[in-house]
Amino acid sequence: MDLNSKPIAAKTGHSPRSVTILGSTRSVGCNTVELVESNPGDYVVEALTANRNVKLLVEQSLRLKPNTAVVADPDSYQELKDALAGSGIEAAAGIDALVEAADRPADWVMASIVGAAGLKPTLTAVRRGATIGLANKECLVSAGEMFVNEVDAHGATLIPVDSEHSAIFQVFDFDNADRVHRIILTASGGPFRELTLDQMASMSPEQAVAHPNWDMGAKISVDSATMMNKGLELIEAFHLFPVSGDQIEILVHPQSVIHSMVDYVDGSVLAQLGTPDMRTPIAYALAWPNRMAAHAPRLELAEIATLTFETPDMERFPALRLARETLNAGGAAATVMNAANEVAVRHFLDKNIGFLDIVRIVEETLNAAPKGRLNNLDDVAEADAEGRRIAEALILELANK
Ligand SMILES: NC(=O)c1ccc[n+]([C@@H]2O[C@H](COP(=O)([O-])OP(=O)(O)OC[C@H]3O[C@@H](n4cnc5c(N)ncnc54)[C@H](OP(=O)(O)O)[C@@H]3O)[C@@H](O)[C@H]2O)c1
């Protein structure tokens, strides 16, 4: 057997890595499932979870044979239980079951539940010292310092899955962090990069989710269109890497080939490049500290020929300004911003508000909400709930105008 085609476990003499995929039924989760399946000798699956997509969860479970499969939605329990009857796979439902799934002894956990709903289960895996592939940026934005403190206290390891943070992680010299001049976080600019504010005003959810480069879930696609995604990533980068907020710059790079860069004091700029395909950063996190084949299209720079860059436009994309202000404000501001954004994006997807209302609602929520210090996770939950309450009230007010 060619050594390069051997499972990593066979090459290293380690036993296969046990993995849990929290949120296995959409973009990041499905890609993780695909990578696990393509390397059967290297991984065994402990748990798979979804919100309510029972059909796909059952298909994945029957192929990957986890010990348990969980749906967050209790109403989907009977369907899941019936479909898994006789398979030897335990079926469970509800938030507590999700937390129990995260608590099962998997070495590696993919955190790909969307939004603040991912916080509790991800923290559960953190608290037992697991290695976490972190796709869910919202939980890091929302709980920030609390989350990082838990990671440190329990000896957990965070491997970023967001392509930008994976790129930085791969080129950041952690032993010489004081030699880093700045991080350059690249942004595609999203589907509305060239539109005027007037044109954006009439954009539909269907147009907002049609991302030019990446195939992603609805929420993150809308975040890319408002560029709130880059704002969340700015805060995510602040918590993941030992730099100040002022050392993180955002650069629009429409081709999404350079996934981000680290600029050192001597003028060397180290970048990670690749085709815009989430299998690459997911594979990096899944195999870390090794590498595995990801079967993403290879990067052919001669075919691309031109890479371009632009300064982001803060007037047309005020989410970037809001995120920067939020980072500078500290305390509960990021928790409130994230909560209000989740509410506003859901109402936009449900066609209750217009595209430009999303960031307007977030800003008004930030203006109205108390943004005190966060001392513990109860404070995070309280600030999150308050952000959601204010955003819902503002949206109701808008609807009644
Ligand atoms: N997609 C990307 O390329 C990408 C890139 C970087 C980072 N991310 C981040 O990765 C996360 C996942 O994004 P995604 O695009 O893969 O998919 P997604 O549509 O956002 O959903 C992810 C998963 O979460 C589950 N889920 C949704 N609401 C839940 C709830 N309340 N409780 C428990 N589970 C719930 C979904 O289950 P159902 O299928 O049953 O609804 C699905 O399995 C997000 O935080 C996103 O920001 C994504």
Side-chain angles (χ1 to χ4, degrees):
M1 191 192 216
D2 168 12
L3 196 64
N4 290 325
S5 65
K6 266 191 174 180
I8 297 165
K11 280 197 286 185
T12 57
H14 292 138
S15 41
R17 178 172 257 184
S18 59
V19 305
T20 283
I21 307 172
L22 300 171
S24 66
T25 49
R26 294 282 172 93
S27 160
V28 173
C30 289
N31 279 316
T32 313
V33 165
E34 183 192 311
L35 285 162
V36 166
E37 278 186 300
S38 67
N39 294 271
D42 284 328
Y43 302 99
V44 289
V45 181
E46 183 64 44
L48 296 177
T49 82
N51 189 20
R52 56 172 73 102
N53 188 346
V54 173
K55 188 171 175 285
L56 184 54
L57 183 65
V58 168
E59 280 172 26
Q60 293 175 336
S61 299
L62 294 177
R63 296 200 313 265
L64 269 69
K65 305 265 183 297
N67 288 318
T68 187
V70 178
V71 275
D73 171 29
D75 293 342
S76 304
Y77 174 63
Q78 199 56 47
E79 191 187 344
L80 179 68
K81 189 167 175 263
D82 292 348
L84 292 178
S87 66
I89 303 164
E90 193 183 301
I95 305 299
D96 291 347
L98 215 58
V99 168
E100 276 166 35
D103 208 20
R104 295 181 82 104
D107 308 325
W108 188 93
V109 176
M110 168 54 84
S112 55
I113 291 174
V114 62
L119 180 58
K120 254 188 169 175
T122 307
L123 266 178
T124 303
V126 162
R127 286 177 177 151
R128 58 175 186 76
T131 300
I132 315 283
L134 188 75
N136 178 317
K137 65 195 92 192
E138 295 94 339
C139 70
L140 193 52
V141 170
S142 181
E145 216 179 308
M146 306 285 135
F147 188 90
V148 173
N149 290 345
E150 293 278 331
V151 170
D152 290 344
H154 297 279
T157 306
L158 286 186
I159 311 292
V161 167
D162 240 334
S163 59
E164 296 78 359
H165 304 76
S166 173
I168 298 163
F169 187 83
Q170 292 182 54
V171 296
F172 196 98
D173 185 350
F174 286 91
D175 290 332
N176 293 292
D178 64 336
R179 304 291 83 194
V180 169
H181 174 63
R182 61 179 171 162
I183 282 175
I184 302 167
L185 202 58
T186 55
S188 69
F192 303 158
R193 180 175 61 89
E194 292 179 309
L195 300 193
T196 62
L197 279 167
D198 276 352
Q199 289 169 320
M200 280 186 223
S202 60
M203 288 295 121
S204 67
E206 292 75 17
Q207 288 166 309
V209 298
H211 196 280
N213 302 343
W214 300 96
D215 180 12
M216 310 182 286
K219 195 264 178 182
I220 183 174
S221 298
V222 174
D223 285 347
S224 295
T226 58
M227 289 195 77
M228 178 58 87
N229 184 48
K230 211 49 56 181
L232 298 174
E233 287 180 8
L234 166 76
I235 300 171
E236 183 185 9
F238 172 77
H239 291 299
L240 285 172
F241 305 106
V243 292
S244 68
D246 292 344
Q247 283 176 286
I248 309 170
E249 281 184 25
I250 295 171
L251 178 68
V252 175
H253 165 46
Q255 296 79 20
S256 300
V257 166
I258 298 180
H259 296 311
S260 278
M261 301 174 251
V262 178
D263 181 3
Y264 289 89
V265 287
D266 61 3
S268 297
V269 180
L270 302 195
Q272 184 264 355
L273 285 70
T275 48
D277 189 311
M278 281 307 289
R279 284 174 293 188
T280 298
I282 295 170
Y284 179 82
L286 185 59
W288 181 89
N290 279 297
R291 288 202 185 253
M292 69 193 289
H295 307 296
R298 307 242 48 106
L299 179 62
E300 303 296 350
L301 283 172
E303 280 171 24
I304 297 169
T306 310
L307 298 180
T308 60
F309 305 93
E310 300 161 18
T311 304
D313 183 339
M314 301 287 183
E315 298 294 318
R316 286 183 306 123
F317 296 101
L320 293 173
R321 169 182 55 77
L322 275 189
R324 179 73 72 183
E325 287 169 5
T326 295
L327 180 60
N328 292 341
T335 319
V336 170
M337 183 184 80
N338 179 65
N341 183 56
E342 283 190 28
V343 169
V345 169
R346 180 168 42 77
H347 279 283
F348 170 69
L349 287 168
D350 291 345
K351 305 199 175 186
N352 298 331
I353 61 172
F355 180 75
L356 294 181
D357 294 327
I358 301 172
V359 177
R360 208 174 288 145
I361 294 290
V362 175
E363 180 153 28
E364 286 179 24
T365 305
L366 273 165
N367 290 340
K371 295 171 288 290
R373 271 182 63 83
L374 295 174
N375 295 312
N376 51 48
L377 286 160
D378 288 343
D379 291 351
V380 173
E382 207 173 292
D384 179 275
E386 187 60 1
R388 281 169 207 274
R389 192 193 61 72
I390 295 172
E392 291 283 3
L394 288 166
I395 290 167
L396 196 65
E397 217 175 277
L398 200 67
N400 292 334
K401 260 187 190 165

